[in-house]
């Protein structure tokens, strides 16, 4: 079949779903590896190292296509995506030093629930009632995780929650960029700009990279790079509205890793919160897929 705007020729939902799930397993690994690496260095150094490793891998591929292929008229949107993505990763990396990995990831990856509100605020386009309902259900799950016993918000929870808002803006900026920008250009400018933005953060939050930290930092960068590559390949097999729900697999994977490695068995309220966040997200995605509006591009890792 002829190639369409999604860039795939023959739809293979099983292959796309498998690749997307593998991508978000790598995202879960990024969080777990970062939690270990954070015991040996600062959050700022961790953030810079992750971005620099990915830039070192993506830049040669992008430059091989020539400088002309990197010309863009959407510098502002690239800056927005890099700033919000960098802020999201910093917020998540800090959060996992303060609260269980599963909780930090769940709160951060509630980001799709914010997207209808952001889309409405920016474009003033009508949002389907089912989308609002899905978002409301998901936010009920977030509140269940945030305040299971009615206690106040911790610094770690606030950080993860801020990361969710930043991730939602980053995801929306990718949606807007994808209308005119190819995937490789989006990735190149993201890692270039995010690396530059991470330098002052790492300088202000500097800690020497010890021998013990080096392998963990390298592993974080490789896991992030694999996640990005798998997402790109996955969306060659199936469209975004069919694969989008698999973003929530990261919540399940992270909860399992947190349980097996750090013995943080989720409380009943956390299980219920996960179910509501995932259920609300799936309801919102189904509503968006049925609505007569442009398709949402692949939901990237930040």
């Amino acid at each position: 079949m002829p190639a369409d705007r999604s860039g795939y020729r023959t739809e293979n939902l099983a292959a796309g779903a498998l690749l997307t799930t593998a991508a978000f397993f790598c995202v879960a690994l990024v969080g777990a590896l970062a939690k270990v690496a954070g015991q040996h260095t600062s959050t700022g150094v961790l953030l810079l190292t992750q971005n620099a490793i990915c830039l070192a891998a993506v830049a040669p591929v992008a430059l091989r296509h020539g400088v002309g292929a990197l010309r863009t008229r959407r510098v502002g949107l690239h800056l927005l995506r890099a700033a919000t993505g960098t802020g999201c990763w910093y917020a998540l990396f800090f959060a996992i030093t303060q609260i269980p990995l599963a909780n930090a990831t769940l709160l951060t990856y509630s980001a799709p629930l914010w997207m209808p509100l952001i889309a409405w605020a920016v474009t003033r386009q009508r949002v389907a009632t089912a989308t609002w309902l899905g978002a409301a259900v998901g936010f009920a799950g977030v509140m269940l995780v945030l305040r299971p016993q009615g206690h106040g918000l911790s610094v770690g929870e606030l950080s993860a929650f801020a990361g969710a808002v930043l991730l939602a803006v980053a995801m929306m900026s990718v949606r807007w960029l994808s209308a005119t920008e190819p995937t490789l250009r989006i990735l190149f400018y993201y890692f270039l700009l995010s690396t530059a933005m991470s330098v002052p953060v790492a300088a202000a939050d500097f800690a020497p990279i010890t021998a013990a930290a080096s392998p963990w930092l390298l592993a974080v960068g490789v896991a992030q790079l694999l996640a990005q590559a798998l997402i790109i390949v996955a969306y060659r097999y199936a469209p975004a509205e069919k694969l989008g729900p698999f973003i929530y697999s990261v919540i399940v994977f992270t909860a399992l890793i947190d349980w097996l490695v750090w013995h943080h068995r989720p409380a009943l309220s956390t299980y219920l919160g996960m179910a509501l966040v995932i259920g609300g997200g799936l309801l919102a995605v189904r509503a968006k897929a049925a609505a007569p509006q442009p398709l949402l591009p692949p939901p990237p890792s930040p």
Side-chain angles (χ1 to χ4, degrees):
M1 58 184 289
D4 63 12
R5 289 181 62 192
S6 301
Y8 64 92
R9 292 183 175 273
T10 302
E11 181 175 321
N12 187 332
L13 184 57
L18 181 63
L19 288 165
T20 305
T21 302
F24 284 99
F25 173 72
C26 290
V27 173
L29 282 180
V30 170
L33 293 167
K35 188 174 181 69
V36 178
Q39 298 172 4
H40 303 284
T41 189
S42 68
T43 302
V45 170
L46 174 58
L47 181 69
L48 174 60
T49 305
Q50 173 192 257
N51 291 330
I53 290 173
C54 292
L55 176 62
V58 170
V61 179
L63 293 172
R64 195 176 301 143
H65 289 75
V67 176
L70 297 177
R71 292 196 181 113
T72 181
R73 297 181 178 179
R74 313 198 76 180
V75 176
L77 271 179
H78 283 292
L79 285 169
L80 176 64
R81 195 264 167 126
T84 52
T86 302
C88 171
W89 277 117
Y90 186 89
L92 177 60
F93 287 162
F94 176 78
I96 63 179
T97 67
Q98 306 294 316
I99 59 177
L101 178 63
N103 289 32
T105 303
L106 173 64
L107 296 175
T108 301
Y109 278 85
S110 66
L113 303 175
W114 287 94
M115 294 178 70
L117 179 60
I118 294 172
W120 176 81
V122 174
T123 67
R124 297 296 175 176
Q125 291 181 349
R126 180 181 175 275
V127 178
T129 302
T131 301
W132 287 120
L133 178 60
V137 170
F139 280 125
V142 169
M143 296 310 298
L144 195 60
V145 174
L146 280 173
R147 307 186 68 175
Q149 287 87 35
H151 63 73
L153 299 181
S154 69
V155 174
E157 290 168 337
L158 285 171
S159 181
F161 200 57
V165 178
L166 290 168
L167 177 56
V169 178
M171 292 169 70
M172 291 300 297
S173 66
V174 172
R175 174 179 181 171
W176 300 323
L177 281 169
S178 67
T180 59
E181 305 286 83
T183 300
L184 187 60
R185 189 186 299 164
I186 294 173
L187 287 176
F188 172 75
Y189 280 112
Y190 172 69
F191 288 124
L192 176 66
L193 294 170
S194 61
T195 298
M197 292 175 182
S198 301
V199 171
V201 178
D205 188 27
F206 182 74
I209 299 177
T210 63
S214 298
W216 297 107
L217 290 171
L218 178 61
V220 170
V222 171
Q224 171 71 298
L225 187 61
L226 282 173
Q228 295 285 349
L230 286 167
I231 289 171
I232 292 171
V233 176
Y235 282 85
R236 294 176 182 172
Y237 287 95
E241 77 276 11
K242 292 186 179 180
L243 296 182
F246 290 92
I247 185 176
Y248 294 106
S249 63
V250 68
I251 296 173
V252 178
F253 287 134
T254 305
L256 288 173
I257 292 172
D258 204 19
W259 188 356
L260 294 174
V261 177
W262 286 281
H263 309 294
H264 291 150
R265 183 173 181 174
L268 178 60
S269 59
T270 303
Y271 280 121
L272 293 175
M274 286 182 182
L276 289 174
V277 169
I278 294 173
L282 293 176
L283 179 60
V285 167
R286 285 177 63 86
K288 284 186 289 187
Q293 58 185 6
L295 298 181
L296 182 68
S301 52

